[in-house]
Amino acid sequence: MKGTLAVFSALTKNWIRSRTGVFFSILFPVMLLLLFATVFSGNENIKYTIYIQNFDLKNNTPTDLSKAFIEALNSTNNFDIKYLEPNTNISYYIKTHPSFTSYRILIIPKGFQEKAINKSISTRIEIIIDTLRKILELYGNNMNQTTRDYIKNGIQGLESFNKSLNTQNVTITLLLDPSDNSATTIKGIIYSITTAFNNKLIGTKDIININIKNTSQRTLKAVDYYLPGYIAAFIMTNGIIGVTSTVSEFRRNGILKRLAATPLSKSSWIIANLLQQTLLAFLLTLIMLTLGLLAFNVTIIPDPPSLLLILIGAITFCSIGIVLGGIIKDVETAYGISNSIAFPLMFLSGAFWPVDIMPDYLQSIAKILPLYYFHQGLRELLIFKNIQQSYTSFIIMTSMAIIFTTLAIKITKWKEFE
Amino acid sequence: MIRNLKNMKEKVIEVSQLTKRYGNIIAIDNISFDVYQGEVFSLVGPNGAGKTTTVEILECLRKPTSGFARVLGYDILKDENKIKKRIGIMPQNFNAFERLTVKENIELIAKISGSKTNINEHLKLLGLWDVKDKKFGTLSGGMKRRVGICMALITDPDILFLDEPTTGLDPQARKEVWTIIKNLRKSGKTIFLTTHYMDEVEILCDRASLIVQGKIIHTASINELILKYGSGIRIIADNKPNSKEILHEFTKNISYDEDGNIVGKFSSLNDANKAFTKLYENGIRAHIIMSSMDDVFLNITGKRINEKGELI
């Protein structure tokens, strides 16, 4: 036991004094969390850039109605509106102003105001005529002849006036890039605005209203998703990349041989590594949760089950690192192989984004990766405090820990060093 | 200086018909030798001769394919832990935790081995006191080897295994390591040393086994090896009218070298001294050349070992 603790202490000191080690184990995850959680924390305030080319001018200034329509778009706070002059050739403009953001252009045609007003008046008249006819149909028998004639004459007068109006439909044009991921959202917003604008023009009132309420007990932020995901992902990288490379390095430079020549047993060496990775995992968790509190005002206090899952995760991924470090002879190859295992794990498992947004086949792949169960379990425990939902994670991660620790003991050479 | 070996009776290492194969390659081939308590024993030979394989078998870091070995009376196959507790090792190309200080690295081995020895004393003894708080990775090659020896000694071992302790060091650093080994030798520590440097063997060791291509060619004391297989003691004198007569008084073995100097070969150091004194009294310039382990190796194997440890 003394030997195990001595090696654990040596490994920890060796890690703490390695700038690269501390950067990739602690600082890099902290930077990523700060970056991603900040970038994606303001989803509700995302503004889509949209260009408007307004041809509906009067004395070279936009008509009142076209201005009102643009104002309605602006009032949603969803758009960053930019204007294109009516004489701008759109194709030429796009060609000469390349951008990584897809172009979205809304064209308001000439005569927008006039046609919209005429059409709205005509529609209102049609509604009145239709209402008067219904009155005659339903209540005409109860009226005297004079009243019926007044109404009929009124209908005729209105029909005659309506015919005299120029009642063309108004068509605004929305140009979108087919590759624009936000196209559907933008179309939806503009459709809603147009419908509301139409209703206002004809003077109708909303009949069905929507009352939006939160389904969560507390408002979940982006950081709630990222925190458990990043803790899990970087416990994984610390094990698979960190341990693989250090074990491989210790093997190459003879430290392992030096230790093997002492009374220290192979299992003590492995336990010392597991302890060191567990300490690192808890330290990472503490720092990430503190950052969540200080930077994003998210209070997460880990309970014993979540600490247990972190321990199991650290053991699993550290064992994988010991296995790989025991197999791979060359340090550079160890770096390469461990990176090529850890990075796909990180991105495919859903640690960085929900698996639901990935294609079906990638979702199937995610669900065979240990990291998927690790971060899912941690999210259930840390965020939702739902231990029942983490049982699968516990079962799978414990099995993995047993398998890889056994393999690590089998594969680690304590004799016949090359 | 050769020590009196009469008291070295107790065998601390027994190697009998030891063989190690790696597939079709025979690393060591049926080797046998003994090492006695208190002696400095060397396994000397070129690179790839099987020195490290042998020493690692004795350190319980490799298993022999066949044969038998005992260290401190313990079977290397059955009593691994007992042996490891009582030996100190410095492997070839020794390394330690780069970012740990000298003292922390030594403490690590002491703690693993449960050693109660005074670390500070060892640091002072090996000239490491001033660098005890420096990180191992920042030390020079010579200092690193000192740390290696200190780590090997910290458990107060009964046998110290030093595998190529001076390979790759500059001459100054080599001499520093030699001084440490000489001091250990004076203290009576049993040392098993592998090397390809013949001068190292001559200066540091009591006995040696010459190993080439996995086979032990000869095992004997350094004295015996030099006397038996060396080129004897030679006096090279200027070719003056009475040079030959003076030398002839003490030896019959006289020849001439390529520069025309007269060469007298002696089997006794006493005769050589007398001849040298007489030449000096007669104003004839001369110098004595002692036989070396290089000569021994050359005379036994017909080859030399260069600085890199290659057989030439």
Side-chain angles (χ1 to χ4, degrees), chain B residues 51-119:
Chain B
K51 303 188 293 292
T52 298
T53 300
T54 307
V55 82
E56 287 185 355
I57 288 173
L58 298 176
E59 291 165 353
C60 307
L61 290 173
R62 291 190 191 278
K63 278 186 181 173
T65 309
S66 64
F68 170 82
R70 275 181 179 277
V71 175
L72 297 162
Y74 296 120
D75 188 330
I76 54 157
L77 295 174
K78 293 176 188 163
D79 303 310
E80 193 176 311
N81 263 347
K82 287 176 183 163
I83 293 171
K84 282 181 175 178
K85 278 179 186 166
R86 291 183 57 187
I87 62 168
I89 74 142
M90 185 175 78
Q92 191 178 14
N93 302 322
F94 161 76
N95 227 320
F97 286 96
E98 298 253 310
R99 288 181 284 273
L100 258 59
T101 65
V102 168
K103 194 174 180 184
E104 285 168 344
N105 267 302
I106 295 163
E107 278 172 346
L108 170 67
I109 300 297
K111 281 178 188 164
I112 290 173
S113 310
S115 169
K116 300 267 188 280
T117 51
N118 188 325
I119 291 171

Coordinates of all heavy atoms in Angstrom, one line a residue, chain B residues 51-119:
Chain B
K51 N 25.1 -9.1 -22.2 CA 25.3 -8.6 -20.8 C 24.0 -8.1 -20.1 O 23.7 -8.6 -19.0 CB 26.3 -7.3 -20.9 CG 27.6 -7.6 -21.6 CD 28.5 -6.4 -21.4 CE 28.0 -5.1 -22.1 NZ 28.0 -5.2 -23.6
T52 N 23.2 -7.3 -20.8 CA 22.0 -6.8 -20.2 C 21.0 -7.9 -20.0 O 20.3 -7.9 -18.9 CB 21.4 -5.6 -21.1 OG1 22.4 -4.6 -21.1 CG2 20.1 -5.1 -20.5
T53 N 20.9 -8.8 -20.9 CA 20.0 -10.0 -20.8 C 20.4 -10.7 -19.5 O 19.5 -11.0 -18.7 CB 20.0 -10.9 -22.0 OG1 19.7 -10.1 -23.1 CG2 19.1 -12.1 -21.8
T54 N 21.7 -10.9 -19.3 CA 22.1 -11.7 -18.1 C 21.8 -10.9 -16.8 O 21.2 -11.5 -15.9 CB 23.6 -11.9 -18.2 OG1 23.9 -12.5 -19.4 CG2 24.1 -12.8 -17.1
V55 N 22.1 -9.7 -16.8 CA 21.9 -8.9 -15.6 C 20.4 -8.8 -15.3 O 20.0 -8.9 -14.1 CB 22.6 -7.5 -15.7 CG1 21.8 -6.5 -16.4 CG2 22.9 -7.0 -14.3
E56 N 19.6 -8.7 -16.3 CA 18.1 -8.5 -16.1 C 17.5 -9.9 -15.7 O 16.5 -9.9 -14.9 CB 17.4 -8.0 -17.4 CG 17.7 -6.5 -17.5 CD 17.0 -5.8 -18.7 OE1 16.3 -6.5 -19.4 OE2 17.1 -4.6 -18.8
I57 N 18.1 -11.0 -16.0 CA 17.6 -12.3 -15.5 C 17.9 -12.3 -14.0 O 17.1 -12.7 -13.2 CB 18.3 -13.4 -16.3 CG1 17.7 -13.6 -17.7 CG2 18.1 -14.8 -15.5 CD1 18.4 -14.6 -18.6
L58 N 19.1 -11.8 -13.7 CA 19.5 -11.8 -12.2 C 18.7 -10.9 -11.4 O 18.5 -11.0 -10.2 CB 21.0 -11.6 -12.1 CG 22.0 -12.6 -12.7 CD1 23.4 -12.1 -12.6 CD2 21.8 -14.0 -12.1
E59 N 18.2 -9.8 -12.1 CA 17.4 -8.8 -11.4 C 15.9 -9.2 -11.4 O 15.0 -8.4 -11.0 CB 17.5 -7.4 -12.1 CG 18.8 -6.8 -11.9 CD 19.0 -5.6 -12.9 OE1 18.2 -5.4 -13.8 OE2 20.1 -5.0 -12.8
C60 N 15.6 -10.4 -11.9 CA 14.2 -11.0 -12.0 C 13.4 -10.1 -13.0 O 12.2 -10.1 -12.8 CB 13.5 -11.0 -10.6 SG 14.5 -11.9 -9.4
L61 N 14.0 -9.5 -13.9 CA 13.2 -8.8 -15.0 C 13.0 -9.6 -16.2 O 12.3 -9.2 -17.1 CB 13.9 -7.4 -15.3 CG 13.9 -6.4 -14.2 CD1 14.8 -5.2 -14.6 CD2 12.5 -5.9 -13.9
R62 N 13.7 -10.7 -16.3 CA 13.6 -11.6 -17.4 C 13.6 -13.1 -16.9 O 14.2 -13.3 -15.9 CB 14.7 -11.5 -18.5 CG 14.6 -10.2 -19.2 CD 15.6 -10.1 -20.4 NE 15.6 -8.7 -20.8 CZ 14.7 -8.2 -21.7 NH1 13.7 -9.0 -22.1 NH2 14.8 -7.0 -22.0
K63 N 12.9 -13.9 -17.7 CA 13.0 -15.4 -17.3 C 13.9 -16.1 -18.3 O 13.9 -15.9 -19.5 CB 11.6 -16.0 -17.4 CG 10.7 -15.7 -16.3 CD 9.4 -16.4 -16.4 CE 8.5 -16.1 -15.2 NZ 7.2 -16.7 -15.3
P64 N 14.8 -16.9 -17.7 CA 15.7 -17.6 -18.6 C 14.9 -18.7 -19.4 O 13.9 -19.2 -18.9 CB 16.7 -18.2 -17.7 CG 16.0 -18.4 -16.4 CD 15.0 -17.2 -16.3
T65 N 15.4 -19.1 -20.5 CA 14.8 -20.2 -21.3 C 15.2 -21.5 -20.6 O 14.3 -22.4 -20.5 CB 15.3 -20.2 -22.7 OG1 15.1 -18.9 -23.3 CG2 14.5 -21.2 -23.6
S66 N 16.4 -21.6 -20.2 CA 16.8 -22.8 -19.4 C 18.0 -22.4 -18.5 O 18.6 -21.3 -18.6 CB 17.2 -23.9 -20.4 OG 18.3 -23.5 -21.1
G67 N 18.4 -23.3 -17.7 CA 19.5 -23.0 -16.8 C 19.0 -22.6 -15.4 O 17.8 -22.6 -15.1
F68 N 19.9 -22.2 -14.6 CA 19.6 -22.0 -13.2 C 20.4 -20.8 -12.7 O 21.6 -20.6 -13.0 CB 20.0 -23.3 -12.4 CG 19.9 -23.2 -11.0 CD1 18.8 -23.3 -10.3 CD2 21.1 -23.0 -10.3 CE1 18.7 -23.2 -8.9 CE2 21.1 -22.9 -8.9 CZ 19.9 -23.0 -8.2
A69 N 19.8 -20.0 -11.8 CA 20.6 -18.9 -11.2 C 20.0 -18.7 -9.8 O 18.8 -18.8 -9.6 CB 20.5 -17.7 -12.0
R70 N 21.0 -18.3 -8.9 CA 20.6 -18.0 -7.5 C 21.2 -16.6 -7.2 O 22.4 -16.4 -7.6 CB 21.1 -19.0 -6.5 CG 20.3 -20.2 -6.3 CD 20.9 -21.1 -5.3 NE 20.1 -22.3 -5.1 CZ 19.1 -22.3 -4.3 NH1 18.7 -21.2 -3.6 NH2 18.4 -23.4 -4.1
V71 N 20.4 -15.8 -6.6 CA 21.0 -14.5 -6.1 C 20.7 -14.5 -4.6 O 19.6 -14.7 -4.1 CB 20.2 -13.3 -6.8 CG1 20.7 -12.0 -6.2 CG2 20.5 -13.4 -8.3
L72 N 21.8 -14.3 -3.9 CA 21.8 -14.3 -2.4 C 21.1 -15.6 -1.8 O 20.4 -15.5 -0.9 CB 21.0 -13.0 -1.9 CG 21.7 -11.7 -2.3 CD1 20.7 -10.6 -2.1 CD2 22.9 -11.5 -1.4
G73 N 21.3 -16.6 -2.6 CA 20.8 -17.9 -2.2 C 19.4 -18.2 -2.6 O 18.8 -19.2 -2.4
Y74 N 18.8 -17.2 -3.2 CA 17.4 -17.3 -3.6 C 17.3 -17.7 -5.1 O 18.0 -17.2 -5.9 CB 16.6 -16.0 -3.4 CG 16.4 -15.6 -2.0 CD1 17.0 -14.4 -1.6 CD2 15.8 -16.4 -1.1 CE1 16.9 -14.0 -0.2 CE2 15.7 -16.0 0.3 CZ 16.2 -14.8 0.7 OH 16.1 -14.4 2.0
D75 N 16.3 -18.6 -5.4 CA 16.1 -19.0 -6.8 C 15.4 -17.8 -7.6 O 14.4 -17.2 -7.1 CB 15.2 -20.2 -6.8 CG 15.0 -20.8 -8.2 OD1 15.1 -20.0 -9.2 OD2 14.8 -22.0 -8.3
I76 N 16.0 -17.4 -8.7 CA 15.4 -16.2 -9.4 C 14.0 -16.5 -9.9 O 13.3 -15.5 -10.1 CB 16.3 -15.8 -10.6 CG1 16.5 -17.0 -11.5 CG2 17.6 -15.2 -10.2 CD1 16.9 -16.6 -12.9
L77 N 13.6 -17.7 -10.0 CA 12.2 -18.0 -10.5 C 11.2 -18.1 -9.4 O 10.0 -17.8 -9.6 CB 12.2 -19.3 -11.4 CG 13.0 -19.2 -12.7 CD1 13.1 -20.6 -13.3 CD2 12.5 -18.2 -13.6
K78 N 11.7 -18.5 -8.2 CA 10.7 -18.7 -7.1 C 10.7 -17.6 -6.1 O 9.7 -17.4 -5.4 CB 11.1 -20.0 -6.4 CG 10.9 -21.3 -7.3 CD 11.4 -22.5 -6.6 CE 11.4 -23.7 -7.5 NZ 12.2 -24.8 -6.9
D79 N 11.8 -16.9 -6.0 CA 11.9 -16.0 -4.8 C 12.1 -14.5 -5.3 O 12.9 -13.8 -4.8 CB 13.1 -16.3 -3.9 CG 12.9 -17.8 -3.4 OD1 11.8 -18.1 -2.9 OD2 13.9 -18.5 -3.5
E80 N 11.4 -14.2 -6.4 CA 11.5 -12.9 -7.0 C 11.5 -11.7 -6.0 O 12.4 -10.9 -6.0 CB 10.4 -12.7 -8.0 CG 10.6 -11.6 -9.0 CD 9.5 -11.6 -10.0 OE1 9.2 -12.6 -10.6 OE2 8.9 -10.5 -10.2
N81 N 10.5 -11.7 -5.2 CA 10.3 -10.6 -4.2 C 11.4 -10.5 -3.2 O 11.8 -9.4 -2.9 CB 8.9 -10.7 -3.5 CG 7.9 -9.8 -4.2 OD1 8.3 -9.0 -5.1 ND2 6.6 -10.0 -3.9
K82 N 11.8 -11.6 -2.7 CA 12.9 -11.7 -1.7 C 14.2 -11.1 -2.4 O 14.9 -10.3 -1.7 CB 13.2 -13.1 -1.2 CG 12.1 -13.6 -0.3 CD 12.3 -15.0 0.1 CE 11.1 -15.5 0.9 NZ 11.1 -17.0 1.0
I83 N 14.4 -11.4 -3.6 CA 15.6 -10.9 -4.3 C 15.5 -9.4 -4.5 O 16.4 -8.7 -4.2 CB 15.8 -11.7 -5.6 CG1 16.2 -13.1 -5.4 CG2 16.9 -11.0 -6.5 CD1 16.2 -14.0 -6.6
K84 N 14.3 -9.0 -5.0 CA 14.1 -7.6 -5.3 C 14.3 -6.7 -4.1 O 14.7 -5.5 -4.2 CB 12.8 -7.3 -5.9 CG 12.7 -7.7 -7.4 CD 11.3 -7.5 -8.0 CE 11.3 -7.8 -9.5 NZ 10.0 -7.5 -10.0
K85 N 14.0 -7.3 -2.9 CA 14.1 -6.5 -1.7 C 15.6 -6.3 -1.3 O 15.9 -5.4 -0.5 CB 13.3 -7.2 -0.5 CG 11.9 -6.9 -0.5 CD 11.1 -7.6 0.6 CE 9.6 -7.4 0.4 NZ 8.9 -8.3 1.2
R86 N 16.4 -7.2 -1.8 CA 17.8 -7.1 -1.3 C 18.8 -6.7 -2.3 O 20.0 -6.7 -2.1 CB 18.2 -8.5 -0.7 CG 17.4 -8.8 0.6 CD 17.8 -10.1 1.2 NE 19.2 -10.2 1.5 CZ 19.8 -11.3 1.9 NH1 19.1 -12.4 2.1 NH2 21.1 -11.3 2.2
I87 N 18.4 -6.3 -3.5 CA 19.3 -5.8 -4.5 C 19.0 -4.4 -4.9 O 17.9 -3.9 -4.7 CB 19.3 -6.7 -5.8 CG1 17.9 -6.7 -6.5 CG2 19.7 -8.1 -5.5 CD1 17.9 -7.2 -7.9
G88 N 20.0 -3.7 -5.4 CA 19.8 -2.4 -5.9 C 20.3 -2.4 -7.4 O 21.2 -3.1 -7.7
I89 N 19.5 -1.7 -8.2 CA 19.8 -1.8 -9.6 C 19.9 -0.4 -10.2 O 19.2 0.6 -9.8 CB 18.8 -2.6 -10.4 CG1 17.5 -1.9 -10.6 CG2 18.6 -4.0 -9.8 CD1 16.9 -2.1 -12.0
M90 N 20.8 -0.3 -11.2 CA 20.8 0.9 -12.1 C 20.8 0.4 -13.5 O 21.8 -0.2 -14.0 CB 22.0 1.8 -11.9 CG 21.8 3.1 -12.8 SD 23.0 4.3 -12.6 CE 24.3 3.6 -13.5
P91 N 19.6 0.4 -14.2 CA 19.5 -0.2 -15.5 C 20.3 0.6 -16.5 O 20.7 1.7 -16.3 CB 18.0 0.0 -15.8 CG 17.3 0.6 -14.7 CD 18.3 1.1 -13.8
Q92 N 20.5 -0.1 -17.7 CA 21.2 0.6 -18.8 C 20.3 1.8 -19.2 O 19.1 1.7 -19.1 CB 21.3 -0.4 -19.9 CG 22.1 0.0 -21.1 CD 22.2 -1.0 -22.1 OE1 21.4 -2.0 -22.2 NE2 23.2 -0.9 -23.0
N93 N 20.9 2.9 -19.6 CA 20.2 4.1 -20.0 C 19.2 4.5 -18.9 O 18.0 4.8 -19.2 CB 19.4 3.9 -21.3 CG 20.3 3.5 -22.4 OD1 21.4 4.0 -22.6 ND2 19.8 2.6 -23.3
F94 N 19.7 4.5 -17.7 CA 18.9 4.8 -16.5 C 18.1 6.1 -16.7 O 18.6 7.1 -17.2 CB 19.7 4.9 -15.3 CG 19.1 5.6 -14.2 CD1 18.1 5.0 -13.4 CD2 19.4 6.9 -13.9 CE1 17.5 5.7 -12.4 CE2 18.8 7.6 -12.9 CZ 17.8 7.0 -12.1
N95 N 16.8 6.1 -16.2 CA 16.0 7.3 -16.3 C 15.1 7.3 -15.0 O 14.9 6.3 -14.4 CB 15.1 7.3 -17.5 CG 15.1 8.6 -18.2 OD1 15.1 9.7 -17.5 ND2 15.2 8.7 -19.5
A96 N 14.7 8.5 -14.7 CA 13.7 8.7 -13.5 C 12.7 9.7 -13.9 O 12.7 10.2 -15.1 CB 14.5 9.1 -12.3
F97 N 11.7 10.0 -13.0 CA 10.7 10.9 -13.3 C 11.3 12.3 -13.5 O 11.9 12.9 -12.6 CB 9.7 11.0 -12.2 CG 8.8 9.8 -12.1 CD1 9.0 8.7 -11.3 CD2 7.6 9.7 -12.9 CE1 8.2 7.6 -11.2 CE2 6.8 8.6 -12.8 CZ 7.1 7.6 -12.0
E98 N 11.2 12.8 -14.7 CA 11.8 14.1 -15.2 C 11.4 15.3 -14.3 O 12.3 16.1 -14.0 CB 11.5 14.4 -16.6 CG 11.9 13.3 -17.6 CD 13.1 13.8 -18.4 OE1 13.0 14.9 -19.0 OE2 14.1 13.1 -18.5
R99 N 10.2 15.3 -14.0 CA 9.7 16.5 -13.3 C 9.7 16.4 -11.7 O 9.3 17.3 -11.0 CB 8.3 16.9 -13.8 CG 8.3 17.5 -15.2 CD 7.0 17.8 -15.7 NE 6.2 16.7 -16.1 CZ 6.2 16.1 -17.3 NH1 7.0 16.6 -18.2 NH2 5.5 15.0 -17.5
L100 N 10.2 15.3 -11.3 CA 10.4 15.1 -9.8 C 11.8 15.5 -9.5 O 12.7 15.4 -10.3 CB 10.2 13.6 -9.4 CG 8.8 13.3 -8.8 CD1 7.7 13.7 -9.8 CD2 8.7 11.9 -8.4
T101 N 12.0 16.1 -8.3 CA 13.3 16.5 -7.9 C 14.2 15.2 -7.6 O 13.7 14.1 -7.5 CB 13.3 17.3 -6.6 OG1 12.9 16.5 -5.6 CG2 12.4 18.6 -6.8
V102 N 15.5 15.5 -7.5 CA 16.4 14.4 -7.2 C 16.0 13.7 -5.9 O 15.8 12.4 -5.9 CB 17.8 15.0 -7.0 CG1 18.8 13.9 -6.5 CG2 18.4 15.5 -8.4
K103 N 15.7 14.5 -4.9 CA 15.3 13.9 -3.6 C 14.0 13.1 -3.7 O 13.9 12.0 -3.2 CB 15.2 15.0 -2.5 CG 15.2 14.4 -1.1 CD 15.2 15.5 -0.1 CE 15.2 14.9 1.3 NZ 15.1 15.9 2.3
E104 N 13.0 13.7 -4.4 CA 11.7 13.0 -4.6 C 11.9 11.7 -5.3 O 11.2 10.7 -4.9 CB 10.8 13.9 -5.4 CG 10.2 15.1 -4.5 CD 9.5 16.1 -5.4 OE1 9.7 16.1 -6.6 OE2 8.8 17.0 -4.8
N105 N 12.7 11.6 -6.3 CA 12.9 10.3 -7.0 C 13.6 9.3 -6.1 O 13.2 8.1 -6.2 CB 13.9 10.6 -8.2 CG 13.1 10.9 -9.5 OD1 12.2 10.1 -9.9 ND2 13.3 12.0 -10.1
I106 N 14.5 9.7 -5.3 CA 15.2 8.8 -4.4 C 14.2 8.3 -3.3 O 14.1 7.2 -2.9 CB 16.5 9.4 -3.8 CG1 17.4 9.6 -5.0 CG2 17.1 8.5 -2.7 CD1 18.6 10.6 -4.7
E107 N 13.4 9.3 -2.8 CA 12.4 9.0 -1.8 C 11.4 7.9 -2.3 O 10.9 7.1 -1.6 CB 11.6 10.2 -1.3 CG 12.4 11.0 -0.3 CD 11.7 12.4 0.0 OE1 10.9 12.8 -0.8 OE2 12.1 13.0 1.0
L108 N 11.1 8.1 -3.6 CA 10.1 7.2 -4.2 C 10.6 5.7 -4.1 O 9.8 4.8 -3.6 CB 9.9 7.5 -5.7 CG 9.1 6.5 -6.5 CD1 7.6 6.5 -6.1 CD2 9.1 6.9 -8.0
I109 N 11.8 5.5 -4.4 CA 12.4 4.1 -4.4 C 12.5 3.7 -2.9 O 12.1 2.5 -2.6 CB 13.8 4.0 -5.0 CG1 13.7 4.4 -6.5 CG2 14.4 2.6 -4.9 CD1 12.8 3.5 -7.4
A110 N 12.8 4.6 -2.0 CA 12.9 4.3 -0.6 C 11.6 3.8 0.0 O 11.5 2.8 0.7 CB 13.5 5.4 0.2
K111 N 10.5 4.6 -0.4 CA 9.2 4.3 0.1 C 8.7 2.9 -0.5 O 8.1 2.1 0.2 CB 8.2 5.4 -0.3 CG 8.4 6.6 0.6 CD 7.4 7.7 0.2 CE 7.7 9.0 1.0 NZ 7.1 10.2 0.4
I112 N 8.9 2.8 -1.8 CA 8.4 1.5 -2.4 C 9.1 0.3 -1.7 O 8.5 -0.7 -1.4 CB 8.8 1.5 -3.9 CG1 7.9 2.5 -4.7 CG2 8.6 0.1 -4.5 CD1 8.3 2.7 -6.1
S113 N 10.4 0.5 -1.4 CA 11.2 -0.6 -0.8 C 11.1 -0.7 0.7 O 11.6 -1.6 1.3 CB 12.6 -0.5 -1.2 OG 12.7 -0.3 -2.6
G114 N 10.4 0.3 1.3 CA 10.3 0.3 2.7 C 11.6 0.5 3.4 O 11.8 0.1 4.5
S115 N 12.5 1.2 2.7 CA 13.8 1.5 3.3 C 13.8 2.6 4.3 O 13.1 3.6 4.2 CB 14.7 1.9 2.1 OG 16.0 2.4 2.7
K116 N 14.6 2.4 5.4 CA 14.6 3.3 6.5 C 15.9 4.1 6.5 O 16.2 4.9 7.4 CB 14.5 2.6 7.8 CG 13.2 1.8 8.0 CD 12.1 2.7 8.6 CE 10.9 1.9 9.0 NZ 10.0 1.6 7.9
T117 N 16.7 3.9 5.4 CA 18.0 4.6 5.4 C 17.9 6.1 5.3 O 16.9 6.6 4.8 CB 18.9 4.1 4.2 OG1 18.1 4.2 3.1 CG2 19.4 2.7 4.4
N118 N 18.9 6.8 5.7 CA 18.9 8.2 5.8 C 19.2 8.8 4.4 O 20.3 8.7 3.8 CB 20.0 8.7 6.8 CG 19.9 10.2 7.0 OD1 19.5 11.0 6.1 ND2 20.1 10.6 8.2
I119 N 18.2 9.4 3.8 CA 18.3 9.8 2.4 C 19.3 11.0 2.3 O 20.1 11.0 1.4 CB 16.9 10.3 1.8 CG1 16.0 9.0 1.7 CG2 17.1 11.0 0.5 CD1 14.6 9.3 1.3

